[in-house]
Amino acid sequence: NAGVTQTPKFRVLKTGQSMTLLCAQDMNHEYMYWYRQDPGMGLRLIHYSVGEGTTAKGEVPDGYNVSRLKKQNFLLGLESAAPSQTSVYFCASKWRGLADTQYFGPGTRLTVL
Amino acid sequence: EDKVVQSPLSLVVHEGDTVTLNCSYEVTNFRSLLWYKQEKKAPTFLFMLTSSGIEKKSGRLSSILDKKELFSILNITATQTGDSAVYLCAVGRLDAGGTSYGKLTFGQGTILTVHP
């Protein structure tokens, strides 16, 4: 049982390049989330999904797109990376029940030059 | 706009000390408050509180929620070097329609350093 996994672990991009971050979970969770974590700012929600084929915007969605084609996977895309997107990205998932407990992946450290 | 504020932002103590971390919030349609511990990598879940005045306890860690005054505290007694981490507070809420999609608003975190 791997829980929540993220690939890649590290990536360096040049301004204007694109990339996709992959999140996978094997807990059969319905809800999945993408966050970014910057120094002194805690975790901020980018996009989330409440089920296969559905996505919604979070607090800081600009410059990102997401897709949830399969229940276990949640992809985060950067179409044209900017230095302001340098951050650590975390994926999380949770069951659809009453508890708000989210389970996090190990994170992806992204640097945009 | 929802707001979660943690204090202090950083704290340095010695092994054996007791620490209290604070989390205050202003959130519409409050549903729950969660504490996470983050050591370099993924945040790991500690507690979830939904009712006022009930203490959640796990070993040397305990937490209590005050829904009237809109804050929570996390206590760690007899600290150890392994307690060094960032402690995150997060608040869950209901949307305007009364549904919850489990979205959390996080505080900035408290960096705890425990010296031997």
mmCIF file of all heavy atoms in Angstrom, chain B residues 67-91:
data_model
loop_
_atom_site.group_PDB
_atom_site.id
_atom_site.type_symbol
_atom_site.label_atom_id
_atom_site.label_comp_id
_atom_site.label_asym_id
_atom_site.label_seq_id
_atom_site.Cartn_x
_atom_site.Cartn_y
_atom_site.Cartn_z
ATOM 1 N N LYS B 67 -14.304 26.787 20.061
ATOM 2 C CA LYS B 67 -15.073 27.300 18.928
ATOM 3 C C LYS B 67 -15.670 28.670 19.200
ATOM 4 O O LYS B 67 -15.981 29.420 18.287
ATOM 5 C CB LYS B 67 -16.179 26.316 18.560
ATOM 6 C CG LYS B 67 -15.667 25.105 17.798
ATOM 7 C CD LYS B 67 -16.734 24.064 17.590
ATOM 8 C CE LYS B 67 -17.728 24.458 16.536
ATOM 9 N NZ LYS B 67 -18.668 23.343 16.245
ATOM 10 N N LYS B 68 -15.801 29.023 20.471
ATOM 11 C CA LYS B 68 -16.353 30.331 20.800
ATOM 12 C C LYS B 68 -15.311 31.420 20.537
ATOM 13 O O LYS B 68 -15.606 32.456 19.964
ATOM 14 C CB LYS B 68 -16.772 30.352 22.265
ATOM 15 C CG LYS B 68 -17.427 31.644 22.712
ATOM 16 C CD LYS B 68 -17.834 31.589 24.162
ATOM 17 C CE LYS B 68 -18.386 32.947 24.608
ATOM 18 N NZ LYS B 68 -18.619 32.992 26.066
ATOM 19 N N GLU B 69 -14.071 31.139 20.975
ATOM 20 C CA GLU B 69 -12.992 32.114 20.812
ATOM 21 C C GLU B 69 -12.218 31.896 19.511
ATOM 22 O O GLU B 69 -11.300 32.640 19.209
ATOM 23 C CB GLU B 69 -12.026 32.050 22.005
ATOM 24 C CG GLU B 69 -12.684 32.365 23.342
ATOM 25 C CD GLU B 69 -13.270 33.771 23.391
ATOM 26 O OE1 GLU B 69 -12.725 34.684 22.726
ATOM 27 O OE2 GLU B 69 -14.284 33.971 24.083
ATOM 28 N N LEU B 70 -12.577 30.888 18.767
ATOM 29 C CA LEU B 70 -12.007 30.606 17.435
ATOM 30 C C LEU B 70 -10.504 30.356 17.480
ATOM 31 O O LEU B 70 -9.720 30.991 16.756
ATOM 32 C CB LEU B 70 -12.322 31.756 16.465
ATOM 33 C CG LEU B 70 -13.786 32.167 16.358
ATOM 34 C CD1 LEU B 70 -13.936 33.279 15.317
ATOM 35 C CD2 LEU B 70 -14.678 30.992 16.009
ATOM 36 N N PHE B 71 -10.085 29.434 18.342
ATOM 37 C CA PHE B 71 -8.674 29.071 18.332
ATOM 38 C C PHE B 71 -8.499 27.632 18.821
ATOM 39 O O PHE B 71 -9.393 27.020 19.409
ATOM 40 C CB PHE B 71 -7.832 30.036 19.175
ATOM 41 C CG PHE B 71 -7.948 29.823 20.660
ATOM 42 C CD1 PHE B 71 -7.072 28.960 21.317
ATOM 43 C CD2 PHE B 71 -8.911 30.480 21.394
ATOM 44 C CE1 PHE B 71 -7.173 28.764 22.693
ATOM 45 C CE2 PHE B 71 -9.020 30.289 22.762
ATOM 46 C CZ PHE B 71 -8.162 29.421 23.415
ATOM 47 N N SER B 72 -7.283 27.147 18.555
ATOM 48 C CA SER B 72 -6.898 25.828 19.031
ATOM 49 C C SER B 72 -5.459 25.904 19.518
ATOM 50 O O SER B 72 -4.685 26.761 19.063
ATOM 51 C CB SER B 72 -7.000 24.809 17.901
ATOM 52 O OG SER B 72 -6.480 23.558 18.287
ATOM 53 N N ILE B 73 -5.097 25.031 20.439
ATOM 54 C CA ILE B 73 -3.705 24.917 20.854
ATOM 55 C C ILE B 73 -3.243 23.478 20.714
ATOM 56 O O ILE B 73 -4.033 22.534 20.829
ATOM 57 C CB ILE B 73 -3.483 25.413 22.299
ATOM 58 C CG1 ILE B 73 -4.321 24.601 23.290
ATOM 59 C CG2 ILE B 73 -3.752 26.889 22.423
ATOM 60 C CD1 ILE B 73 -3.985 24.919 24.736
ATOM 61 N N LEU B 74 -1.971 23.334 20.415
ATOM 62 C CA LEU B 74 -1.316 22.038 20.362
ATOM 63 C C LEU B 74 -0.219 22.059 21.421
ATOM 64 O O LEU B 74 0.660 22.919 21.389
ATOM 65 C CB LEU B 74 -0.713 21.786 18.983
ATOM 66 C CG LEU B 74 0.096 20.499 18.812
ATOM 67 C CD1 LEU B 74 -0.815 19.271 18.904
ATOM 68 C CD2 LEU B 74 0.839 20.494 17.481
ATOM 69 N N ASN B 75 -0.301 21.143 22.369
ATOM 70 C CA ASN B 75 0.693 21.048 23.427
ATOM 71 C C ASN B 75 1.595 19.851 23.191
ATOM 72 O O ASN B 75 1.112 18.766 22.823
ATOM 73 C CB ASN B 75 0.026 20.848 24.784
ATOM 74 C CG ASN B 75 -0.388 22.161 25.403
ATOM 75 O OD1 ASN B 75 0.321 23.160 25.285
ATOM 76 N ND2 ASN B 75 -1.529 22.164 26.055
ATOM 77 N N ILE B 76 2.876 20.040 23.396
ATOM 78 C CA ILE B 76 3.818 18.933 23.363
ATOM 79 C C ILE B 76 4.596 18.959 24.671
ATOM 80 O O ILE B 76 5.264 19.951 24.992
ATOM 81 C CB ILE B 76 4.807 19.034 22.182
ATOM 82 C CG1 ILE B 76 4.063 19.239 20.872
ATOM 83 C CG2 ILE B 76 5.668 17.770 22.111
ATOM 84 C CD1 ILE B 76 4.971 19.472 19.663
ATOM 85 N N THR B 77 4.489 17.909 25.449
ATOM 86 C CA THR B 77 5.207 17.838 26.721
ATOM 87 C C THR B 77 6.477 17.001 26.551
ATOM 88 O O THR B 77 6.582 16.186 25.622
ATOM 89 C CB THR B 77 4.333 17.194 27.806
ATOM 90 O OG1 THR B 77 3.967 15.877 27.389
ATOM 91 C CG2 THR B 77 3.072 18.009 28.057
ATOM 92 N N ALA B 78 7.446 17.245 27.434
ATOM 93 C CA ALA B 78 8.700 16.485 27.426
ATOM 94 C C ALA B 78 9.251 16.355 26.014
ATOM 95 O O ALA B 78 9.483 15.242 25.511
ATOM 96 C CB ALA B 78 8.487 15.115 28.061
ATOM 97 N N THR B 79 9.483 17.494 25.362
ATOM 98 C CA THR B 79 9.887 17.485 23.962
ATOM 99 C C THR B 79 11.169 16.677 23.739
ATOM 100 O O THR B 79 12.041 16.579 24.615
ATOM 101 C CB THR B 79 10.105 18.905 23.435
ATOM 102 O OG1 THR B 79 10.973 19.606 24.337
ATOM 103 C CG2 THR B 79 8.798 19.656 23.304
ATOM 104 N N GLN B 80 11.252 16.110 22.532
ATOM 105 C CA GLN B 80 12.416 15.338 22.104
ATOM 106 C C GLN B 80 12.913 15.915 20.785
ATOM 107 O O GLN B 80 12.157 16.610 20.081
ATOM 108 C CB GLN B 80 12.026 13.864 21.912
ATOM 109 C CG GLN B 80 11.433 13.232 23.160
ATOM 110 C CD GLN B 80 10.837 11.860 22.896
ATOM 111 O OE1 GLN B 80 10.803 11.383 21.762
ATOM 112 N NE2 GLN B 80 10.371 11.219 23.954
ATOM 113 N N THR B 81 14.152 15.608 20.416
ATOM 114 C CA THR B 81 14.696 16.148 19.166
ATOM 115 C C THR B 81 13.858 15.695 17.967
ATOM 116 O O THR B 81 13.746 16.406 16.979
ATOM 117 C CB THR B 81 16.155 15.726 18.959
ATOM 118 O OG1 THR B 81 16.263 14.302 19.052
ATOM 119 C CG2 THR B 81 17.055 16.353 20.021
ATOM 120 N N GLY B 82 13.235 14.542 18.089
ATOM 121 C CA GLY B 82 12.377 14.045 17.006
ATOM 122 C C GLY B 82 11.099 14.839 16.829
ATOM 123 O O GLY B 82 10.376 14.659 15.841
ATOM 124 N N ASP B 83 10.807 15.741 17.747
ATOM 125 C CA ASP B 83 9.631 16.600 17.602
ATOM 126 C C ASP B 83 9.935 17.805 16.716
ATOM 127 O O ASP B 83 9.021 18.553 16.355
ATOM 128 C CB ASP B 83 9.160 17.110 18.974
ATOM 129 C CG ASP B 83 8.647 15.998 19.873
ATOM 130 O OD1 ASP B 83 8.046 15.033 19.350
ATOM 131 O OD2 ASP B 83 8.860 16.083 21.103
ATOM 132 N N SER B 84 11.197 18.021 16.382
ATOM 133 C CA SER B 84 11.571 19.138 15.509
ATOM 134 C C SER B 84 10.884 18.978 14.166
ATOM 135 O O SER B 84 11.030 17.942 13.495
ATOM 136 C CB SER B 84 13.090 19.182 15.313
ATOM 137 O OG SER B 84 13.742 19.462 16.526
ATOM 138 N N ALA B 85 10.130 19.984 13.781
ATOM 139 C CA ALA B 85 9.333 19.902 12.555
ATOM 140 C C ALA B 85 8.592 21.218 12.378
ATOM 141 O O ALA B 85 8.644 22.095 13.241
ATOM 142 C CB ALA B 85 8.323 18.750 12.639
ATOM 143 N N VAL B 86 7.876 21.300 11.262
ATOM 144 C CA VAL B 86 6.906 22.388 11.080
ATOM 145 C C VAL B 86 5.542 21.823 11.449
ATOM 146 O O VAL B 86 5.163 20.740 10.977
ATOM 147 C CB VAL B 86 6.887 22.887 9.627
ATOM 148 C CG1 VAL B 86 5.805 23.964 9.454
ATOM 149 C CG2 VAL B 86 8.247 23.435 9.228
ATOM 150 N N TYR B 87 4.814 22.540 12.286
ATOM 151 C CA TYR B 87 3.472 22.111 12.689
ATOM 152 C C TYR B 87 2.463 23.011 11.989
ATOM 153 O O TYR B 87 2.507 24.232 12.107
ATOM 154 C CB TYR B 87 3.324 22.165 14.211
ATOM 155 C CG TYR B 87 4.144 21.082 14.864
ATOM 156 C CD1 TYR B 87 5.496 21.268 15.132
ATOM 157 C CD2 TYR B 87 3.577 19.840 15.154
ATOM 158 C CE1 TYR B 87 6.271 20.257 15.686
ATOM 159 C CE2 TYR B 87 4.332 18.826 15.713
ATOM 160 C CZ TYR B 87 5.681 19.042 15.974
ATOM 161 O OH TYR B 87 6.446 18.035 16.515
ATOM 162 N N LEU B 88 1.581 22.359 11.246
ATOM 163 C CA LEU B 88 0.601 23.070 10.436
ATOM 164 C C LEU B 88 -0.790 22.915 11.031
ATOM 165 O O LEU B 88 -1.187 21.813 11.420
ATOM 166 C CB LEU B 88 0.592 22.518 9.014
ATOM 167 C CG LEU B 88 1.876 22.680 8.201
ATOM 168 C CD1 LEU B 88 1.838 21.791 6.961
ATOM 169 C CD2 LEU B 88 2.066 24.130 7.796
ATOM 170 N N CYS B 89 -1.506 24.011 11.044
ATOM 171 C CA CYS B 89 -2.907 24.019 11.460
ATOM 172 C C CYS B 89 -3.734 24.254 10.201
ATOM 173 O O CYS B 89 -3.357 25.054 9.334
ATOM 174 C CB CYS B 89 -3.121 25.147 12.461
ATOM 175 S SG CYS B 89 -4.823 25.473 12.903
ATOM 176 N N ALA B 90 -4.844 23.561 10.062
ATOM 177 C CA ALA B 90 -5.711 23.737 8.893
ATOM 178 C C ALA B 90 -7.164 23.687 9.334
ATOM 179 O O ALA B 90 -7.501 22.981 10.286
ATOM 180 C CB ALA B 90 -5.444 22.645 7.855
ATOM 181 N N VAL B 91 -8.004 24.441 8.639
ATOM 182 C CA VAL B 91 -9.422 24.483 8.990
ATOM 183 C C VAL B 91 -10.252 24.046 7.797
ATOM 184 O O VAL B 91 -10.020 24.493 6.666
ATOM 185 C CB VAL B 91 -9.824 25.905 9.434
ATOM 186 C CG1 VAL B 91 -11.317 25.977 9.684
ATOM 187 C CG2 VAL B 91 -9.064 26.290 10.697
#
